[in-house]
Every structure is written in C-alpha cells, then in structure tokens.
Amino acid sequence: MAVVGASGYAGGELLRLLAAHPALEVVAATGHSSAGQRLDIVHPQLRSLAHLEIAETTPQAVADARLVFLALPHGASGEFAEQLPADVRIVDLGGDHRITDPLVYARHYRGDYHGAWTYGLPELPGQRARIAAAARVANTGCYAVATILALAPLIAAGLAEPDDVVVVAASGASGAGRDPAAHLLGAEVMGDVSPYKVGAHQHVPEIVQATGARTLSFTPLLAPMPRGILAAVTARPARAGLTAADAREALAAAYESEPFVHVLPDRRQPRTAATLGSNSAQLQATIDTSSGRIIVTSAIDNLGKGAAGQAIQNANLMLGLPETAGLTADGIAP
C-alpha cells in the first residue's frame, strides 16, 4: 500500500491503521515539504514505521503499489490519479471524484472536473458490492458520513420529507488539515466555538446526492477539540403521528448487520468521545416536542469513519479482504 499526502492528519491516521493491519503493508509514503524526512519526524507516534522515509509526491514513487490512498488537498487528486497505471487501485480521500454532476462540482470546488468514481460508503444500499467491484473509489467527506448515515434511511423509508432538511454539525480542528493557520492555533480554538463556510460548504451536494434530499441547510462549527464530529440532522416527518420509535426502528433496520454503525438505546445520545480512535458511528433519533421535526444526532471520529478508517474499509472491500480487517468499533477513553 502507498499513502500520498502522508504528512497530514488523515495521512498519518491511514499509516497508523495500516501499520496494524493484518494483511496490508506500507511500501511508500509521500509528501511535499516533508519529503526526505524520516516518518517518525513528521509522525512521532508511528514508531513501527519510523524506518520509512517520506518520498517526493510523484506518480513514480507509488506506481508499484497494489493500492494507493490519496490524502491530498481538494483539487489535487484528479490530475495525480490520471498519471497512475490503470491497474493500480485508488481510494481518494479528497473531494475530486465524489460529485456526479460537473456543474455542481464547479459551484463547490476549484479546479477541473475529473469525473465521478464509485462512492465509498458501504452502508448505503447496494454500495458495498459496487465498491468491491471498483478500481477507483471516492471516499466520503467527514461531515457527509455523519449526515448521510443519519438521514438516508429515513428518506428511503418514506419517514422524512426530502425538503427542508437542516443540519448543524461541529468538528474538531483536525478537520481543517495540518497546514498552519492563525485561526487554528490552540489559543484561538480553545474556549471558542465558531461557524465557518456558512451556507456554502462543499459537502452539501455530496449529502444531497447520496440521500435524495432536495433542499438542505448546513451550518458547520469549529469545536475546541482535536478530532470528532457531532451532527444534529433535522427533517419534517412525512406523515402525521410519526414517533421517535418509528424513526429509531428505521435506522436500526438499516444498520442491524453493520459492524460500525450503532443505533443507541432510547434516551442515550451519541458522544464524540465514544467514537474517538474508532471507525464507529453512533446514532440516536427523537421527535422535537415543539416543532414535531425528526432529530437524528450522529457522532463519528472525523479521522476515523470520516476519513482514514472509512478508506481502509473501502480498501478491504476492493481487495477482497474481510471488511473489518485492521479496524475497530471500539473507541479509546479517556
């Protein structure tokens, strides 16, 4: 396996998971400004991979890998992927290949459109088989995972109206990447919650595309924590008299055989701390007593199920390995 963009947070998490994977071996890790450095200088937590040297990010550096993970900034994966041999499998953690409509892509992303790949969320109906048969897979966005898992089964079951969906979600600072920025300094983030990309976040068209929602308002928040996402997804019920039990049963039916998606018992709410370091998603559904709207709360680790863990899950399917190999549903605490 090779990781392109290994010096970032998602790249580092990919390497951590791959180091413990029972069937996969890291043969190359590339970076830009970190090229030429030993891996343990960039990621001192990765002791078992300390012998690796970060290579220049070139197609030649990873062309011999059986599968390549692209953990590059949005807009950088498309051109790079086109330079790799056709028989190299790829999982792209960026947004370059998620959107099926080039006009929609142009409204939310910069750069040229390079086409849509198989969408990498195995828990969607029929998607697991598509991923297993694919050579190129577009990993989900982090906010998108938390929202799609909460919303898609309710729209599919006819319980939630696809119009007037409202999402408010908070993410840890690692979701913004590792490049230095003043607004991400510890002194700026700690003790503060702030909105960003309000009304124009790039994950909205991805969520709409995957869930069948028609109108969706999304407000992302930067939370004072390193990693994790907590989303509150609300929608109008599609019929009168809908109960929290109805919504919860629809979610439970959708995910009853899924190893990483857990619908919590009544009155227990998801927590980001409970998914830390795991590939798990936690869900809960209720009905707002004032508005009557369905509320589904969802928690994931943005670097786990929202990025690297999800990428490993997709890679396992693509390579014919057990889907859960190298992954855990258990978080770490405290």
Side-chain angles (χ1 to χ4, degrees):
M1 302 297 107
V3 176
V4 177
S7 57
Y9 290 131
E13 187 72 352
L14 272 169
L15 290 167
R16 182 181 74 86
L17 295 173
L18 289 169
H21 198 289
L24 303 180
E25 180 184 0
V26 179
V27 296
T30 81
H32 289 290
S33 60
S34 60
Q37 298 183 41
R38 276 174 43 122
L39 189 63
D40 61 338
I41 301 298
V42 180
H43 293 297
Q45 75 276 19
L46 301 179
R47 294 302 308 152
S48 63
L49 297 176
H51 61 282
L52 286 179
E53 181 178 296
I54 297 179
E56 291 280 353
T57 298
T58 65
Q60 293 75 24
V62 299
D64 292 335
R66 186 178 177 191
L67 185 144
V68 175
F69 296 96
L70 300 180
L72 295 169
H74 298 312
S77 297
E79 184 176 350
F80 189 92
E82 290 175 354
Q83 300 177 67
L84 293 178
D87 60 344
V88 174
R89 293 177 173 87
I90 306 174
V91 178
D92 181 13
L93 279 72
D96 292 27
H97 301 99
R98 297 170 186 160
I99 306 302
T100 58
D101 187 332
L103 296 179
V104 173
Y105 179 90
R107 287 200 296 270
H108 291 85
Y109 292 95
R110 296 178 180 176
D112 295 333
Y113 180 67
H114 291 271
W117 292 354
T118 300
Y119 191 61
L121 185 55
E123 290 83 5
L124 288 174
Q127 206 62 20
R128 182 170 276 109
R130 297 184 186 101
I131 294 167
R136 307 280 162 107
V137 169
N139 217 52
T140 50
C142 54
Y143 281 123
V145 177
T147 303
I148 293 167
L149 291 175
L151 182 62
L154 301 182
I155 292 179
L159 300 183
E161 292 285 359
D163 296 307
D164 190 26
V165 177
V166 178
V167 182
V168 178
S171 174
S174 61
R178 202 175 186 184
D179 288 341
H183 72 284
L184 297 176
L185 293 172
E188 302 291 334
V189 173
M190 294 303 105
D192 184 38
V193 177
S194 58
Y196 66 100
K197 293 186 179 179
V198 177
H201 197 279
Q202 70 271 14
H203 288 175
V204 170
E206 179 184 350
I207 296 167
V208 169
Q209 178 179 283
T211 63
R214 287 194 289 264
T215 59
L216 187 145
S217 173
F218 179 58
T219 304
L221 307 173
L222 177 63
M225 56 186 184
R227 55 199 286 175
I229 285 178
L230 184 67
V233 182
T234 78
R236 288 188 289 112
R239 59 176 171 82
L242 188 75
T243 68
D246 295 330
R248 197 159 44 248
E249 286 170 9
L251 293 174
Y255 302 125
E256 61 182 350
S257 61
E258 294 295 342
F260 297 119
V261 183
H262 311 287
V263 181
L264 298 179
D266 188 21
R267 300 182 186 279
R268 281 183 53 193
Q269 288 292 334
R271 301 173 58 193
T272 58
T275 62
L276 184 66
S278 78
N279 197 48
S280 285
Q282 292 190 348
L283 303 173
Q284 181 58 276
T286 190
I287 301 294
D288 188 290
T289 57
S290 176
S291 67
R293 291 176 68 88
I294 305 167
I295 304 174
V296 181
T297 46
S298 173
I300 64 168
D301 185 333
N302 62 293
L303 295 179
K305 187 64 173 165
Q310 180 87 311
I312 298 291
Q313 189 178 351
N314 288 325
N316 285 337
L317 289 168
M318 296 167 73
L319 296 170
L321 300 172
E323 186 174 339
T324 59
L327 298 170
T328 180
D330 298 329
I332 56 175

